[in-house]
Amino acid sequence: MSKQVVNFSLEGRFLGFEFEEYKPKRLLIATSEGECTLKIAKSLRYSFGLRLIPGDWLQILGEKKIDRKTGEVKLKAEQVIPATISQEQTSIPVAAKSAKSKASILVCQKSDCMKRGGKQLCQAMQAALSDRGLTDEVSIKGTGCLKHCKAGPNIVMMPDKTRYSKVEANQIPELIDKHFTPEEAVKEGDFLVAAK
């Protein structure tokens, strides 16, 4: 047998998700040995919802597959549990950007919201964030059901948790300006100004 499969348990700080076609496929974790990427088991992909925030400490249980010929190691998360802080965690190196809580836009990835224009919303968000130079400050995160399925697509602006339903792609630039552009950069009358 060329592959060995063993169970693993690790603790680390949640850094974010890697997406494929706007669906969360992998977890990015900072551990005491550095950053690692873990594939998310299909049964877990939509169960995270709004609960994981960059910087959260997690304990992850899963499978480690080792290819004996190439030495390649693949990790698959089967269970993710909020961890209590241990002495080991105080020495985990985390990049300065990861330590700062990053603003984000949560986008429902369930079929009702996707059928009602969720994919176009994500594309419009990426374009609007890029145009404003905000791609390093604001991330787009896919979630499981945000409820209000018939009023989809649904999004939530974080960290203020403002929810929007029936959002159309042409509304995205105005919403980005309202929530994420510094107030002094927003010209009143050009678009909606966030009340401070």
Side-chain angles (χ1 to χ4, degrees):
M1 186 159 87
S2 65
K3 289 191 180 181
Q4 178 184 6
V5 179
V6 295
N7 291 328
F8 75 88
S9 173
L10 66 84
E11 286 188 12
R13 184 184 297 261
F14 173 66
L15 298 177
F17 291 107
E18 279 186 5
F19 292 87
E20 285 179 19
E21 298 179 8
Y22 303 104
K23 295 178 184 174
K25 297 284 184 170
R26 291 173 205 81
L27 284 170
L28 302 174
I29 304 292
T31 69
S32 57
E33 297 172 10
E35 291 184 13
C36 68
T37 304
L38 302 96
K39 184 176 181 180
I40 304 170
K42 286 183 182 180
S43 60
L44 290 182
R45 288 189 185 155
Y46 296 107
S47 64
F48 295 116
L50 306 176
R51 295 179 298 203
L52 290 185
I53 299 169
D56 284 352
W57 290 104
L58 303 175
Q59 179 178 13
I60 300 166
L61 308 172
E63 271 184 2
K64 181 193 305 190
K65 289 184 182 177
I66 305 164
D67 188 319
R68 292 182 182 179
K69 291 181 181 174
T70 64
E72 182 182 22
V73 176
K74 292 183 179 179
L75 301 174
K76 182 170 158 186
E78 300 282 347
Q79 189 174 6
V80 178
I81 306 163
T84 55
I85 295 177
S86 68
Q87 290 297 324
E88 176 189 346
Q89 292 169 336
T90 58
S91 64
I92 293 177
V94 177
K97 282 186 180 179
S98 299
K100 180 186 172 195
S101 185
K102 193 174 179 182
S104 59
I105 304 170
L106 307 177
V107 183
C108 179
Q109 298 290 296
K110 297 304 264 183
S111 61
D112 279 349
C113 285
M114 287 293 105
K115 287 176 193 172
R116 289 179 168 89
K119 188 171 183 177
Q120 293 82 358
L121 279 186
C122 290
Q123 292 167 344
M125 286 176 205
Q126 287 177 331
L129 292 172
S130 178
D131 291 347
R132 287 154 179 78
L134 294 172
T135 51
D136 289 337
E137 284 84 40
V138 182
S139 62
I140 301 168
K141 298 180 180 180
T143 69
C145 185
L146 294 173
K147 310 300 180 210
H148 310 294
C149 301
K150 292 184 181 181
N154 294 290
I155 64 173
V156 178
M157 301 297 195
M158 300 296 280
D160 63 358
K161 299 182 182 177
T162 305
R163 179 188 293 262
Y164 293 95
S165 296
K166 294 186 178 180
V167 182
E168 295 179 13
N170 63 1
Q171 296 172 303
I172 292 301
E174 183 178 3
L175 292 174
I176 298 260
D177 291 333
K178 178 180 178 182
H179 289 275
F180 304 114
T181 303
E183 192 172 338
E184 57 273 7
V186 177
K187 295 178 186 172
E188 218 167 325
D190 287 347
F191 22 72
L192 195 57
V193 179
K196 296 282 177 182

